[in-house]
Amino acid sequence: MAHLYHCAPRLSEALRLELCDVHPELGPSGKLHVRFGKAANASGPRPRWAPMLDGLDRILAWYQSDIRPLFPDTAALFCDAHGEALKPETVRDRLSRLLDTEGRSNDDRFTPHDLRRACAIHHYEQGMDLITVQQLLGHEHIASTMAYVRPCLTFVEDAWRRATSRALTGLAG
């Protein structure tokens, strides 16, 4: 479920993706059409386009050409052996078993939602502004996005160094 990190959909959104929702022809690396985006207060689905960042276009192309044909011919992008869309508890259980197999300690474990948070944090730390992160996550309110973005302890110092370096370069000419 690399796309949980690379384009930050909610697990429920990712599992409702269908083959027709993958659009490699849109934008520099393609987009996913998240047709069933979460909406507040049960106001119905809020669709959005999620960019396929950090090589996700290549991962999904490989998945669609080499892996997905091994499963029944159904609309679901991610399905089980019967062609049914994967269920959130199945994904959580499989991830937990993989982490067990790796011998991960309780402090070193993560959930599908942690991948979404990691995507938001890493893109923000790399210079993506909060409004863009908000759009990526499909949040209606910036306050929701701010709750996700918890940069590393040296974030302020690193930002100061970058700004100082740019200023000095600009002065030097």
Side-chain angles (χ1 to χ4, degrees), residues 124-127 151-160 162:
Y124 182 70
E125 286 180 339
Q126 292 172 358
C152 68
L153 293 175
T154 63
F155 180 73
V156 172
E157 293 91 346
D158 295 342
W160 178 82
R162 285 191 304 275

Side-chain angles (χ1 to χ4, degrees), residues 44-110:
R46 191 173 48 217
R48 70 178 187 283
W49 290 93
M52 294 192 281
L53 305 172
D54 299 327
L56 180 58
D57 57 330
R58 293 187 305 276
I59 293 168
L60 284 177
W62 164 78
Y63 171 78
Q64 287 184 292
S65 68
D66 294 0
I67 306 300
R68 184 60 181 82
L70 302 174
F71 291 88
D73 187 20
T74 60
L77 181 60
F78 302 106
C79 65
D80 61 19
H82 305 290
E84 299 290 323
L86 289 175
K87 307 227 177 330
E89 53 275 2
T90 303
V91 173
R92 288 187 197 99
D93 180 60
R94 287 182 186 174
L95 178 59
S96 181
R97 282 192 280 155
L98 283 170
L99 295 172
D100 288 342
T101 301
E102 286 186 354
R104 298 271 183 126
S105 68
N106 285 341
D107 294 341
D108 197 25
R109 298 180 79 80
F110 58 91

